[in-house]
Amino acid sequence: SLAVRAEIGDKRGQIMGRVELGMIQLAQGELAPARQSQEEAIKLAVETKLPQGEGQARYQLGEIALVAGDLAEARKQHDRALAIRTDLREERTILESQAALANIALEEGRLDDAEKLAGIVERKLRGSPAPLLAVAKLLNARVRMARKDANGAEQELSGSRAHAERTERISLRTDFKLVESEIDIARGEIDKARAQLDSLRLEFAR
């Protein structure tokens, strides 16, 4: 627990404990407490000169801002997280931040920027089963759909569909099914799209 980590002086554990608590609070829809937990993690990380912890907490602050609909704040926090992670040369977390910024660019309608960032992530992870590869493919599929290219979107999804179906990340499985339903609608396959959405309703009803 956080109290035990504080008692034994485990600063890194205290930081990550707050980050993890904030992630749980975000998953439960508690945005204000989640934000507070991440801000506390950042303060402790700065005080103890542990930039890895600050980078992780800022990434989570970006996700909180995205859920809150504040794209400017989300971009600001993810930019700062990326800068920290770039200084630390943490390849995996750099790609994680680039994928997050690609998603924000897509939400803002900056399709070229979204495609560029997602392409970087995809090239770095090509041939890897990492969830981030599926995220990058999904982002590229969403760009294709924004450009009214249903066939291109289907091609982007095809290589990562099996991984998305196996992942424990519910949000990733959900987003895949939503994009697939959009592709079906664009092709006039309404019954198929309805089946995709019905399967999502069943999953969330469990």
Side-chain angles (χ1 to χ4, degrees):
S1 71
L2 287 173
V4 172
R5 288 167 174 169
E7 186 176 339
I8 65 176
D10 178 9
K11 299 297 185 183
R12 186 182 300 276
Q14 290 178 62
I15 294 167
M16 294 315 299
R18 283 177 169 81
V19 169
E20 291 164 4
L21 174 60
M23 292 170 67
I24 293 169
Q25 290 165 329
L26 175 60
Q28 294 173 339
E30 300 172 357
L31 300 192
R35 189 178 295 110
Q36 182 178 344
S37 293
Q38 301 302 344
E39 288 170 349
E40 289 173 354
I42 289 170
K43 180 180 178 181
L44 189 55
V46 171
E47 289 174 353
T48 55
K49 296 182 172 58
L50 290 171
Q52 292 95 337
E54 182 183 357
Q56 182 66 14
R58 289 204 179 279
Y59 176 91
Q60 294 300 328
L61 276 180
E63 295 298 281
I64 293 166
L66 186 61
V67 171
D70 189 343
L71 295 178
E73 178 65 14
R75 183 169 9 92
K76 171 186 169 184
Q77 293 297 342
H78 279 303
D79 274 334
R80 293 176 74 174
L82 177 59
I84 292 169
R85 291 165 162 187
T86 299
D87 286 344
L88 294 170
R89 299 181 179 180
E90 295 180 341
E91 186 67 19
R92 184 192 64 79
T93 59
I94 288 170
L95 294 174
E96 182 181 54
S97 288
Q98 288 172 325
L101 286 165
N103 184 51
I104 292 168
L106 182 58
E107 294 292 336
E108 292 177 328
R110 295 184 289 113
L111 301 186
D112 289 343
D113 290 343
E115 191 171 30
K116 179 181 177 181
L117 285 166
I120 290 171
V121 175
E122 183 180 346
R123 285 192 296 276
K124 291 279 188 179
L125 293 173
R126 191 164 290 157
S128 164
L132 269 179
L133 178 59
V135 169
K137 300 290 280 186
L138 175 63
L139 285 166
N140 277 324
R142 290 172 61 200
V143 170
R144 298 287 182 275
M145 286 305 297
R147 290 177 169 155
K148 312 299 182 185
D149 179 8
N151 290 334
E154 169 63 24
Q155 290 174 5
E156 291 289 348
L157 292 185
S158 61
S160 296
R161 183 176 288 106
H163 177 76
E165 290 172 351
R166 289 194 302 268
T167 184
E168 294 181 0
R169 294 174 62 173
I170 296 174
S171 61
L172 182 56
R173 295 201 307 272
T174 299
D175 287 344
F176 254 76
K177 287 186 179 295
L178 287 174
V179 173
E180 286 178 328
S181 68
E182 290 178 21
I183 293 170
D184 294 334
I185 291 170
R187 290 173 170 171
E189 299 174 350
I190 306 303
D191 288 343
K192 191 175 178 182
R194 187 176 292 115
Q196 291 279 10
L197 296 175
D198 286 344
S199 71
L200 276 178
R201 293 190 189 96
L202 286 173
E203 183 165 349
F204 282 109
R206 291 172 186 169

